[in-house]
Amino acid sequence: MRNYILSLIFLCWSATTFAQDPYFVTVVKGSVTKKDGTAVTVGSKLDLLDKVTFATKESLLILLHPSKGRLVVSAANAQPNKENSFTLLIKDFLKMNGQRMRLSTRAINEWAMDLASYFRTDPSINNKILIIDSLQIRLPRYMNLKPDNNTCYFFLQLLSKEPINHRLFANDEYLNISREDIVFKEKLYSIEAGELKLGLVNQYTTDNNVIKKIATINPSFITRETCASVIKAVKSAMGHADESTILKEVYMQLYYTYGKPDENKIEEIFNSLK
């Protein structure tokens, strides 16, 4: 009897603790609604004992607590209800995600990271490369390129029944990939469309390899405004954390949700919001 009472007290204490310790929503992927039918949006506060409904299995939330860190809530392991949506108790479907990583996209410079390494991702986080409005990549000096869109240029090639090539804009310093570059047959690229390769045509080369494959990439796209909303939500949730800590958290949240982002782009948008 005594043990039963103690267990009951513990459960009541746990429920009270959860209910009094809200998390900030920093990312909403897909459609997610609260128990009363209102939409969960970036900046919302949720308790671990709240129930939410995910419209699809791919929908997810990222929650952030100023002292307890990041939680990812996903319907991936939930069972659908009669409406083929997924209603769940947050605490039963969250994933602790305290993963940290060294930001590496800044390292591409004159002598360091090559382009193949720039596009390399960690599949345990996400195998996509994220384009925020547009992607500007500094070309390493050792490549000694003189892009002219004629005898020296970069291209994306979609390998499908009818391969499609898109030439990319580049100058002596930067390679640019825009949203339009990853639109094929009026649709944003998806892996179902076929394999997408980044290549280089360089007739100035001294060997016989005029056409070189650089990397196979799987790009995703978000707007500058979407990135800004994540930055604002993380800043709000993390209180007085320093800029470096906030930038690292934004980087990880974007990586997990959309794909590997460019650190310089995140910092540029962060500074524009000051």
Side-chain angles (χ1 to χ4, degrees):
M1 182 68 176
R2 183 185 175 208
N3 288 339
Y4 173 78
I5 293 173
L6 288 174
S7 297
L8 188 60
I9 292 172
F10 175 76
L11 287 173
C12 292
W13 173 82
S14 298
T16 303
T17 301
F18 284 148
Q20 294 176 347
D21 200 15
Y23 284 72
F24 290 86
V25 177
T26 54
V27 169
V28 181
K29 187 176 182 181
S31 175
V32 186
T33 55
K34 298 180 184 178
K35 189 176 180 180
D36 62 4
T38 59
V40 176
T41 58
V42 171
S44 297
K45 291 182 181 180
L46 291 174
D47 299 320
L48 299 186
L49 292 179
D50 282 338
K51 279 190 175 181
V52 291
T53 298
F54 290 79
T56 66
K57 220 174 184 64
E58 291 71 33
S59 302
L60 65 80
L61 297 174
I62 294 184
L63 311 179
L64 189 61
H65 191 281
S67 61
K68 296 183 179 180
R70 182 188 330 119
L71 299 176
V72 179
V73 186
S74 168
N77 297 318
Q79 294 299 316
N81 55 28
K82 293 179 181 179
E83 291 76 32
N84 280 324
S85 55
F86 304 83
T87 299
L88 50 90
L89 191 66
I90 286 179
K91 76 177 185 67
D92 293 334
F93 287 86
L94 58 83
K95 174 185 176 183
M96 301 297 293
N97 194 323
Q99 188 166 8
R100 295 281 186 264
M101 62 165 34
R102 179 176 63 84
L103 304 187
S104 58
T105 50
R106 188 191 299 278
I108 185 163
N109 55 31
E110 298 181 25
W111 314 112
M113 185 189 301
D114 61 20
L115 286 177
S117 297
Y118 180 91
F119 287 101
R120 191 171 296 128
T121 62
D122 183 347
S124 68
I125 303 172
N126 200 320
N127 66 359
K128 295 181 178 180
I129 285 287
L130 177 60
I131 298 173
I132 305 172
D133 268 0
S134 64
L135 187 60
Q136 187 178 70
I137 309 159
R138 182 179 289 278
L139 296 175
R141 287 242 182 117
Y142 66 79
M143 293 185 75
N144 195 29
L145 295 175
K146 299 179 178 62
D148 59 11
N149 201 39
N150 184 20
T151 57
C152 181
Y153 58 89
F154 291 92
F155 65 95
L156 288 174
Q157 182 179 69
L158 177 64
L159 299 178
S160 57
K161 290 182 180 179
E162 298 178 5
I164 302 172
N165 294 319
H166 285 179
R167 292 195 186 192
L168 303 174
F169 175 80
N171 56 29
D172 292 354
E173 293 188 74
Y174 292 99
L175 165 65
N176 289 269
I177 303 178
S178 68
R179 183 184 187 279
E180 290 71 25
D181 294 323
I182 58 171
V183 171
F184 297 90
K185 295 182 179 179
E186 300 183 351
K187 292 183 180 179
L188 270 173
Y189 174 79
S190 66
I191 195 70
E192 292 76 22
E195 190 175 27
L196 188 62
K197 294 182 181 295
L198 173 66
L200 169 66
V201 170
N202 186 12
Q203 294 179 10
Y204 295 125
T205 185
T206 56
D207 57 36
N208 294 321
N209 297 318
V210 174
I211 302 177
K212 294 182 179 181
K213 172 196 167 185
I214 295 171
T216 297
I217 67 173
N218 182 10
S220 65
F221 175 86
I222 63 172
T223 63
R224 185 184 186 92
E225 289 73 24
T226 298
C227 180
S229 72
V230 174
I231 293 172
K232 290 175 184 177
V234 170
K235 285 178 69 175
S236 176
M238 297 188 76
H240 299 292
D242 61 77
E243 180 176 320
S244 175
T245 302
I246 292 171
L247 287 172
K248 287 176 182 177
E249 182 60 33
V250 171
Y251 182 92
M252 274 307 304
Q253 294 205 16
L254 291 174
Y255 200 161
Y256 186 89
T257 311
Y258 302 107
K260 180 182 175 182
D262 184 276
E263 180 192 358
N264 292 315
K265 188 72 171 187
I266 297 172
E267 187 170 345
E268 173 203 322
I269 297 172
F270 180 92
N271 290 332
S272 74
L273 298 174
K274 290 180 179 178

